[in-house]
Amino acid sequence: MVYAIEISNFTKEFIQTKSLPHLFLYPHKKTKITLAVNSVNLQVKRGELFGLLGPNGAGKTTLIKILCCLILPTRGTAKVAGYDILEEEEKVKASIGLVSGDERSFYGRLTGRQNLQFFASLYNLSRSYSKSRIEELTDFLEIKEPDKRFQEYSTGIKQRLAIARSLLNNPEILFMDEPTKSLDPGTAQKLREFIKEKLARQEGKTIFFATHNLDEAEYFADRLAIMEKGKITSCGATEELKGEILRCFFER
């Protein structure tokens, strides 16, 4: 398998639902349709650190959610880790991890370790494997106090725990949506270095990340796609796209 991710003619439309009073008062008013992802075609190689760059509202998060089988596309097909996202959803989910910059699904009163044990159980991992995997990941991610309550951790450590959770099943592909969002500059840079050097280079993971941070995209990506208003406008090496990046962000 040459490609970790293959996307063909992907489109996602959101249809605004109408309340009953609205339907009664305005029966002939047209339904509003928002085109969040518009005919996207993309291929990401195995082991590649691939960046999706675009302003807020460009459709980056929606595209990632579709690839992670969290929402359905309106049209189009995609394969993730060689599996069709519509026909082989469970195999796709077993092959991926997801990290976002807005982690609210951890339990604040549980420790970091207890949280990871809970999420390991959702993957149906055995107790013995879960215990050794959590030890391995907390050491690998340099989480030095895994038995503190989650609510007591710094934002940087919370994000490392989010990465640990995404790695519990040892996925081939990691999706990261604004992974350094809300982090201070120093912590964000340390996390970028960790993701690039340890996860991508040492572990050989395929990493697909979305950002609106120009410096982050330039530091991270082997290859980059620029997304605007739901469409991929350019794709290539970062150096090749500098002119397009400037146009996208500074001529708006």
Side-chain angles (χ1 to χ4, degrees):
M1 181 178 61
V2 177
Y3 295 110
I5 302 168
E6 299 177 80
I7 305 169
S8 178
N9 198 35
F10 241 24
T11 296
K12 178 61 180 179
E13 297 172 346
F14 289 104
I15 301 174
Q16 186 181 47
T17 57
K18 296 181 180 180
S19 64
L20 285 175
H22 191 276
L23 283 170
F24 180 75
L25 292 170
Y26 309 103
H28 303 297
K29 189 173 182 179
K30 290 184 178 180
T31 302
K32 183 180 179 181
I33 297 175
T34 301
L35 194 58
V37 178
N38 187 0
S39 301
V40 167
N41 294 281
L42 206 58
Q43 293 174 322
V44 178
K45 296 177 183 177
R46 295 182 67 183
E48 191 169 25
L49 227 173
F50 188 89
L52 188 62
L53 176 67
N56 290 330
K60 305 185 300 297
T61 296
T62 300
L63 180 57
I64 284 178
K65 285 182 176 180
I66 296 172
L67 293 173
C68 292
C69 301
L70 297 177
I71 58 176
L72 294 171
T74 304
R75 291 183 295 279
T77 60
K79 286 188 176 181
V80 174
Y83 302 115
D84 187 287
I85 64 164
L86 299 177
E87 303 295 332
E88 301 172 289
E89 179 181 334
E90 293 305 315
K91 290 181 179 179
V92 170
K93 288 181 175 179
S95 304
I96 65 172
L98 172 63
V99 181
S100 76
D102 186 20
E103 283 298 328
R104 301 180 185 180
S105 53
F106 283 91
Y107 295 92
R109 294 186 179 182
L110 297 182
T111 67
R113 190 190 306 276
Q114 288 169 336
N115 268 285
L116 293 176
Q117 288 170 339
F118 169 73
F119 290 114
S121 71
L122 298 182
Y123 281 114
N124 291 320
L125 303 177
S126 69
R127 285 190 178 185
S128 59
Y129 178 81
S130 297
K131 183 178 179 181
S132 63
R133 183 64 174 159
I134 290 167
E135 289 291 340
E136 180 185 356
L137 288 172
T138 51
D139 181 60
F140 180 64
L141 286 154
E142 300 176 4
I143 301 170
K144 296 179 181 178
E145 297 180 280
D147 295 306
K148 281 177 62 175
R149 286 187 179 185
F150 183 79
Q151 62 193 15
E152 297 172 0
Y153 287 119
S154 67
T155 306
I157 296 299
K158 287 178 179 178
Q159 193 67 341
R160 287 183 181 233
L161 280 163
I163 294 174
R165 181 181 64 181
S166 74
L167 294 171
L168 284 168
N169 61 330
N170 196 22
E172 297 175 40
I173 303 167
L174 271 180
F175 289 94
M176 294 185 161
D177 188 12
E178 305 282 0
T180 60
K181 181 182 178 182
S182 302
L183 300 182
D184 65 80
T187 302
Q189 184 56 27
K190 286 180 181 178
L191 190 60
R192 289 185 194 109
E193 291 170 0
F194 172 83
I195 293 168
K196 185 171 184 175
E197 298 305 323
K198 285 198 171 184
L199 297 183
R201 303 296 179 242
Q202 291 183 27
E203 291 281 293
K205 305 288 185 190
T206 302
I207 296 179
F208 185 103
F209 75 95
T211 184
H212 64 267
N213 185 312
L214 299 176
D215 293 333
E216 185 164 273
E218 188 171 5
Y219 173 80
F220 253 150
D222 297 325
R223 204 159 53 93
L224 192 64
I226 297 175
M227 193 169 190
E228 294 182 80
K229 298 179 180 178
K231 293 185 71 72
I232 299 295
T233 58
S234 303
C235 184
T238 308
E239 286 295 321
E240 298 170 357
L241 297 182
K242 281 197 171 179
E244 182 67 15
I245 291 170
L246 292 173
R247 183 204 61 75
C248 175
F249 282 86
F250 297 108
E251 294 182 9
R252 295 173 60 82

